[in-house]
Amino acid sequence: MKKKHNGSSFDDFLKEESLYDHSSAVAIARTISRQIQQELISQESCKTEDISDTIMMVVKIFNGDIARACAWFKARNPLLGDTSPAEMIHLGRHERLKKFIINSQENIGNES
């Protein structure tokens, strides 16, 4: 019994079976899907680092007093639309919160 596909490439086999186009499309779709997943993971990592930096900035403002920093994050702030800083982070507005903190510190520095 002679093997029909002995020595031929896998691509040749797929073409003979009329599966090449579909298999290629699936492979491309999976590759793109993995690339998108990796990019999302990378973005989430950057976002997490940015939130961590913001939290550490607040702790530093409170001279390392974590209890006071936590209380500030939980308290509603009228300058933030009567929303707590923690809620802003939860709602994905951490960049706006970070700008608010930086601007507040700059304003305090300018008053000195």
Side-chain angles (χ1 to χ4, degrees):
M1 173 187 247
K2 185 175 181 185
K3 294 183 180 178
K4 181 179 177 184
H5 299 288
N6 192 17
S8 65
S9 72
F10 188 64
D11 287 348
D12 291 338
F13 167 76
L14 291 174
K15 287 175 185 174
E16 287 176 19
E17 299 295 324
S18 300
L19 297 172
Y20 183 80
D21 291 337
H22 176 73
S23 298
S24 294
V26 169
I28 291 168
R30 286 182 179 169
T31 300
I32 292 170
S33 175
R34 275 192 220 102
Q35 290 172 343
I36 291 170
Q37 287 174 339
Q38 289 300 318
E39 181 61 28
L40 291 174
I41 290 168
S42 175
Q43 288 176 3
E44 285 300 313
S45 177
C46 290
K47 180 178 162 183
T48 302
E49 288 176 26
D50 194 38
I51 291 169
S52 177
D53 291 345
T54 302
I55 292 168
M56 292 309 297
M57 188 184 321
V58 172
V59 170
K60 186 176 177 182
I61 289 169
F62 286 104
N63 297 315
D65 188 334
I66 294 173
R68 285 180 58 207
C70 286
W72 183 82
F73 272 103
K74 293 176 184 177
R76 292 188 177 277
N77 189 324
L79 298 175
L80 297 173
D82 203 35
T83 302
S84 73
E87 287 175 300
M88 290 190 72
I89 291 171
H90 178 74
L91 296 171
R93 294 189 263 172
H94 66 280
E95 290 178 22
R96 181 173 174 236
L97 176 63
K98 187 174 186 175
K99 287 178 187 175
F100 169 79
I101 295 165
I102 291 169
N103 289 337
S104 296
Q105 287 303 110
E106 287 174 356
N107 290 338
I108 291 171
N110 292 335
E111 291 176 4
S112 300

